[in-house]
Amino acid sequence: MASPTSHWSQRFNILALTKLSVIISSLLILATVPPLTIASEEKSCIEIKEDFDLRNIARHDNVLLIIHDTGDDSQRTQICERFKNTPKERIVAQKEKTGRSTVFAYLQIKDQSYDTDGQLQDGGRGLATTLGVKTFPQFAFIEGGMDGKAKYSSHITFYSGSTDDDSFMTNLDKFIHKHVGYRIGVDVYNIIFFDSIASKFISYGDCSGVDRFKQKALALLIRFSTLFSYSEPFSSIGKLYNKAFEKSLQNGMGYASSQIERIERMLKKQNDLSEEKVHEMNQKRAVLKAFAEPRELTDDDNKQIAIHVLLHLGLIVATVLLFVLPSDSGKEEEGEEPVNEVPVIAKVVEDENGKGKKKNQ
C-alpha cells in the first residue's frame, strides 16, 4: 500500500505538470495569433491584398472595409485618421461588450501587373468581385466568425447611401456607428438634458436648507439616469457629469470654473500631450462649462426636468413595490376544492375464479 506522502507527491507532480501544460499552451496560442489581428490594437488601417488576408482577420474580429481606386483614397485617409484618433476607452468598452474588436481595413484596386515570379496579379479586382463590389468607393462591414468555407454574403453588410452628396460623411458615420458600435474621431459631446440639470443645479448657488436638498435631488437624478448607460461615449460622459455634481456639492459652485482654468493651463504648458489625453481634457472642459457657464432655462426646460423627475420617481416606486408586495401565485383560490381532498375508498370485488380484488371507487 502506497504511503500518504507518496500519494500527495504524485498528486503534486500531476498538478504541476497540468499547470505547466496550460502555460505552454497559452504561450503557443499567443505566439500563433495572426499579425493582422495584433495590428488592430494599434488603431491603424490594414491593407488587404488578397482573400486570405481578409478571411484571416474575419475569423476572430469584425472588419470595416473600405474599397477604393488607387487615385481616390481621400475618404479612406479621412476615416483611417479619425479611427486613429478615436479614444481607446470607446474601443475597449465595445470589445468588452461584444467580445470582438473591429479592424479597419482597405482594399485598394490597382492596375493588373506581374509580380517578381512572373505571375499576373489582378490588383484586387477578383476579391472585389467575390465580395460583390461593382463600383468604387464602397464601404462594408464584415461580421467576424468566418471560417475558410463561409460565404461573404452571409457576413457582409454594405453602406447603401450616396457617396457624392453633402450628407455623405454624416450618413457614413451613422453606418459605422451602427455596426462598429462606437463613433470614430475625437468629437467632444455634451448631453443637453444634463446641461439643463446642471444649470438648474447651479442656480441655487452655495445654499443650505431646502435648496440644498433640491441640489442633491438633481445630482441623484443624473446618477440614476446614468445607472444603466453602458454604450460609449455616453457611459464615460455620464461619469464626468456625475463627478462634476459630486465635487460641486463638496467644494462649492465655483469648482467647475477652477477646474476649467487648471485644464486650460495644462493644455497651454504641455505640448507633448497625446491626442487621447488632449481629447480627454477637452471633454472634461466641455462638461464643466455646463456648470461654469449655466444657461437661462426656459419654461420648456423646466417642464422637461419636472417630467423626468416624476418618471424616475415612478420607476423607483414601481421597482420597490415589485420586491415588497407578496406574490399570490402560491395561494389556492378561495372556495376551490383541492383535487383528492376526499379519500378514495377501496372495495373488494370478486373475479370469475372467486378471488377477491380491490377496486377503487
Side-chain angles (χ1 to χ4, degrees):
M1 183 176 179
S3 65
T5 304
S6 175
H7 173 73
W8 284 108
S9 176
Q10 291 177 0
R11 185 177 179 183
F12 175 78
N13 290 336
I14 293 173
L15 289 173
L17 288 173
T18 304
K19 291 181 179 180
L20 182 62
S21 301
V22 170
I23 293 172
I24 294 174
S25 300
S26 302
L27 292 174
L28 288 174
I29 291 172
L30 290 173
T32 56
V33 172
L36 291 174
T37 303
I38 295 174
S40 69
E41 302 299 328
E42 299 175 359
K43 295 197 302 181
S44 59
C45 287
I46 307 300
E47 183 177 6
I48 301 297
K49 295 184 178 180
E50 57 185 354
D51 177 74
F52 173 80
D53 295 338
L54 185 55
R55 288 184 180 273
N56 196 32
I57 301 174
R59 280 189 303 158
H60 307 288
D61 297 325
N62 302 322
V63 183
L64 193 287
L65 184 64
I66 308 163
I67 306 108
H68 66 88
D69 285 319
T70 302
D72 186 18
D73 63 351
S74 58
Q75 293 165 348
R76 183 255 293 181
T77 301
Q78 183 179 354
I79 292 171
C80 291
E81 184 64 24
R82 290 175 61 200
F83 172 60
K84 181 180 178 181
N85 294 327
T86 300
K88 189 179 295 182
E89 292 80 9
R90 297 185 199 173
I91 301 173
V92 172
Q94 184 62 20
K95 183 176 181 180
E96 290 176 350
K97 181 179 178 181
T98 63
R100 282 198 178 108
S101 297
T102 297
V103 176
F104 280 62
Y106 65 94
L107 173 63
Q108 184 171 319
I109 306 302
K110 306 174 184 177
D111 294 333
Q112 291 184 344
S113 61
Y114 289 93
D115 60 19
T116 54
D117 296 328
Q119 300 293 324
L120 180 63
Q121 302 297 319
D122 65 3
R125 295 183 184 277
L127 177 55
T129 301
T130 301
L131 294 172
V133 177
K134 298 178 180 178
T135 58
F136 312 108
Q138 183 58 271
F139 307 87
F141 177 79
I142 302 173
E143 187 177 359
M146 292 186 64
D147 55 26
K149 298 179 180 179
K151 294 181 178 179
Y152 284 112
S153 59
S154 302
H155 291 259
I156 196 166
T157 303
F158 288 104
Y159 167 73
S160 58
S162 174
T163 58
D164 55 7
D165 59 15
D166 295 337
S167 61
F168 161 59
M169 287 307 298
T170 300
N171 292 332
L172 182 60
D173 280 345
K174 292 179 180 178
F175 173 83
I176 294 173
H177 185 199
K178 177 181 178 181
H179 294 285
V180 174
Y182 54 82
R183 297 181 185 274
I184 60 172
V186 291
D187 305 319
V188 173
Y189 298 93
N190 277 74
I191 302 175
I192 296 175
F193 175 68
F194 288 4
D195 287 351
S196 298
I197 297 292
S199 297
K200 188 76 172 178
F201 176 87
I202 293 295
S203 68
Y204 295 111
D206 290 311
C207 58
S208 59
V210 176
D211 287 343
R212 184 68 169 179
F213 174 79
K214 291 179 181 178
Q215 284 182 324
K216 290 182 177 181
L218 290 172
L220 184 62
L221 174 63
I222 297 302
R223 185 166 294 279
F224 193 80
S225 298
T226 58
L227 190 60
F228 301 104
S229 178
Y230 300 112
S231 61
E232 290 293 342
F234 304 107
S235 176
S236 299
I237 296 172
K239 292 177 182 177
L240 294 177
Y241 276 99
N242 281 320
K243 183 176 180 181
F245 278 104
E246 180 184 351
K247 293 295 183 181
S248 295
L249 285 171
Q250 292 176 358
N251 304 312
M253 299 301 109
Y255 166 78
S257 297
S258 64
Q259 289 300 304
I260 290 174
E261 292 175 2
R262 184 182 69 85
I263 290 173
E264 291 178 345
R265 286 197 302 269
M266 292 177 64
L267 290 172
K268 288 179 181 179
K269 290 181 179 180
Q270 302 184 27
N271 298 322
D272 57 344
L273 294 175
S274 65
E275 288 277 355
E276 289 185 6
K277 189 64 177 178
V278 171
H279 171 268
E280 179 185 337
M281 297 175 73
N282 283 329
Q283 181 63 72
K284 287 181 179 178
R285 181 171 58 180
V287 170
L288 290 168
K289 277 190 174 182
F291 295 79
E293 302 173 7
R295 60 187 178 86
E296 186 175 350
L297 298 179
T298 64
D299 291 339
D300 286 339
D301 291 329
N302 288 317
K303 184 178 179 181
Q304 287 295 321
I305 292 173
I307 290 173
H308 277 79
V309 169
L310 291 175
L311 287 174
H312 282 80
L313 284 175
L315 182 59
I316 292 173
V317 171
T319 304
V320 171
L321 291 177
L322 181 65
F323 290 99
V324 170
L325 292 179
S327 174
D328 295 333
S329 59
K331 295 183 179 179
E332 296 176 350
E333 293 186 10
E334 189 175 348
E336 182 178 346
E337 185 177 327
V339 179
N340 293 336
E341 184 179 22
V342 179
V344 178
I345 302 173
K347 291 185 177 182
V348 178
V349 296
E350 294 184 354
D351 59 8
E352 296 178 354
N353 298 323
K355 295 181 179 180
K357 290 185 178 180
K358 287 187 178 181
K359 180 180 180 181
N360 292 336
Q361 186 174 2

